[in-house]
Amino acid sequence: LNKICYKLRRQAFQRHVLTEDVIHREVTPENKLITRRLLTKTNRLPRWAEKIFPSNLSRSVFIIEDSIVDPKSKTFTTFTWNINHRRLMVRKMFFGMNSETHAWTRVQREAWISFCGIRDYFFFVMIQEFGLARFKSNQAKAMKGLEYTLANLQGIEGPSRTLKDTAKEATEKAKETALAATEKAKNLATAAAPQKSSHFV
Amino acid sequence: MNSVGEGCTELKREYDHCFNRWFAEKFLKGDRSGDPCSEMFKKYQQCVQQAIKDKDIPVDGIEFMGPNKEKPES
């Protein structure tokens, strides 16, 4: 099932990831595998931001992904964040499906950990985007990807109605979150405009 | 997928290949018998850590799962 988790994460990230490196890895005394990866993605700013921010703003987003694999409890936990451009990124949405009950459960919005429980078959798709429009189109893609992956790898008949209903709710929540974050970014931009904003490097 | 260090991609791929096999065949099955990939990992790390320094990527001093402990900005 790690294959599924890996596939889902790749789907969420795939289009914009430039590089991926393991920069730390060890097996703990409790026999858990902990890993730190460094990813770089292209940083595509929306037009309003391109006009405001200095042109020498780094084009790369650096992302750290820490993960723990515990074969005993059969869990795989990851936590991913940007180490630059933190304020410019829209927050992540998390939702997951229990493949036994086929019920979508909404993970708490403030959750920061994407979790792929091997045993209970929970999938958490992390969608990280810069603007609402791109969020929407990528969310649709990620949802399609999730359905397809589940149907093919688990032999589960696509629970399409449940997915659609919950997706609607998730989109509404995501809209709020995205708007709030975009507003914040705009305010920051206005505040930073008169000076060279060194902390946006 | 490429490495952030342009010259490290080959080393990275060799290591990844070794790791994936060890992970699926040993680690997940509870087999604790040693790590066949440590030499490859060393070589790969030497290369990639140098690239990180050269490119000034700020990876130092970050606690594992670090920002998880902060309150997220809403």
Side-chain angles (χ1 to χ4, degrees), chain A residues 2, chain B residues 18-31:
Chain A
N2 257 334
Chain B
C18 181
F19 168 79
N20 288 337
R21 202 168 37 187
W22 169 83
F23 183 70
E25 293 173 11
K26 303 271 180 171
F27 180 73
L28 286 183
K29 298 188 176 168
D31 183 340

Side-chain angles (χ1 to χ4, degrees), chain A residues 61-119:
Chain A
V61 181
F62 300 127
I63 294 160
I64 295 279
E65 178 205 81
D66 285 345
S67 64
I68 305 173
V69 181
D70 183 356
K72 201 164 120 193
S73 64
K74 297 198 195 310
T75 59
F76 168 52
T77 308
T78 79
F79 178 58
T80 309
W81 71 97
N82 306 336
I83 52 177
N84 64 342
H85 298 318
R86 292 183 72 176
R87 287 177 165 185
L88 300 183
M89 298 308 286
V90 174
R91 296 313 180 193
K92 307 168 175 71
M93 281 299 298
F94 299 86
F95 43 96
M97 182 179 94
N98 183 322
S99 77
E100 287 172 359
T101 66
H102 290 198
W104 277 88
T105 60
R106 255 287 298 282
V107 184
Q108 53 272 42
R109 269 168 72 192
E110 305 309 313
W112 284 93
I113 297 180
S114 87
F115 175 85
C116 201
I118 295 169
R119 189 191 194 118

